[in-house]
Amino acid sequence: MRASLGRWTDTRFDVAWGEVTGAVGDTVTVLPIVVAVAALTDLALGSILLGFAVFQVVWGLYYGHPMSVEPMKALAALVIAGDLSGGEYLAAGLLAGGVLLLIGQTQALGRLASYVGDPVIRGIQVGVALILLRTGVTTGLASPALAALAVLVALGTVAVGYRNAAALAVLGLGAVLAVNGAGTLTPRVPSIALLDPASLTLSRDAVGATIGQLAMTVGNAAVATSLLVSEYFDAEASPDDLSASMGVMNLLAVPLGALPMCHGSGGVAGKYAFGARTAMSNLVLGGLYLLLAVVAVDIVAAFPMAVLGVVLVLVALELGRAGIATADPLLTGVVGVVALLANVGVAFGVGIVGSHALARLRGGD
């Protein structure tokens, strides 16, 4: 990572309503997954939100323009589905952080991205979407009537023209029901505890999940994010710099109780679509996450599982929609199905072998 004086002096912090709404736009890709992880694992919501609060501010100041901070979706989907234990999840986050830092510092991302290929990345996205979809449907069936109400809220949100906010609207319904069920909320400052290394589990599943996550990260969190930053804000954030900053973020945050995190084109697009134009949106969102970390723990503890299931289905549909935008539907579909039936690490290997085999076959035609 190389900070420059120009980057700092060019930073603008506009006080405008668009910066507030832009901050909310980024939560569309974050809060549904954060709530699911907190509700379905033993990870502490306060620490998770505190991590997002800190790094929203850090990367807003560092990059000098709106920058996303999102959960690593492949890893999050696997721990939500129960395919990874908490120890495997955190170990995978640390491993991914180390690899991303190394890639960024050695300027190797361009070579890696060209080797993996977009259809393989899209296939991993489809596979993660299918895993989330399966988990969401199973969770929603816990209370079909409540799930149906959540579906109506989602459809209503789409009908009035806010498709991207459907998951957030259903999350709001769940929060209202949870507040009603939780009774009096007790604000509390999140505790920070250093991760016990003995709790980490570096298993074959953790390594495979890391490989699948890195495939998504290369395409979505580094290359695509760099392109959007240039297009939207006329600014520079190279894929290698983004890789290095994601590496640093995970190596610092995961040991303190935060989730494995990344940048992402979806978060940048969300910020921009909802009005963000300067780094002020990151500062606003950091403050919002800090507030939620203090007051929202009781809400998540009472969050209705059936509503959470619908949230996961909506997240899965959005991720799957991005995944099927592929130049090779056959390869992408095979990778996605293998990820669902086996695991994302195996799917990545199948995708790499398949892409090169298809390239040779097509080259010989």
Side-chain angles (χ1 to χ4, degrees), residues 73-263:
K73 293 185 180 67
L75 297 184
L78 292 174
V79 76
I80 289 169
D83 293 348
L84 287 180
S85 69
E88 289 172 325
Y89 179 47
L90 298 179
L94 288 172
L95 182 58
V99 173
L100 287 168
L101 180 57
L102 178 63
I103 289 173
Q105 291 296 92
T106 57
Q107 305 289 291
L109 191 60
R111 295 189 297 274
L112 182 61
S114 62
Y115 182 76
V116 173
D118 186 69
V120 179
I121 296 170
R122 299 294 185 183
I124 296 295
Q125 287 180 299
V126 169
V128 170
L130 291 172
I131 292 167
L132 278 177
L133 182 63
R134 180 182 62 192
T135 306
V137 170
T138 302
T139 306
L141 290 175
S143 176
L146 196 53
L149 175 61
V151 169
L152 288 176
V153 169
L155 292 176
T157 305
V158 173
V160 297
Y162 293 97
R163 179 182 59 80
N164 290 336
L168 205 59
V170 175
L171 201 64
L173 167 67
V176 170
L177 295 174
V179 168
N180 183 61
T184 304
L185 300 180
T186 305
R188 65 197 75 176
V189 177
S191 59
I192 299 176
L194 192 62
L195 179 69
D196 180 3
S199 67
L200 298 173
T201 306
L202 188 58
S203 64
R204 183 172 59 183
D205 286 343
V207 173
T210 303
I211 292 170
Q213 177 61 60
L214 289 172
M216 286 181 60
T217 299
V218 165
N220 178 63
V223 176
T225 300
S226 177
L227 292 173
L228 283 186
V229 163
S230 175
E231 177 184 346
Y232 288 160
F233 310 116
D234 193 24
E236 182 181 355
S238 75
D240 286 299
D241 273 359
L242 291 168
S243 179
S245 66
M246 287 186 286
V248 168
M249 176 164 54
N250 283 291
L251 292 176
L252 291 177
V254 172
L256 296 175
L259 296 187
M261 295 180 284
C262 62
H263 302 306

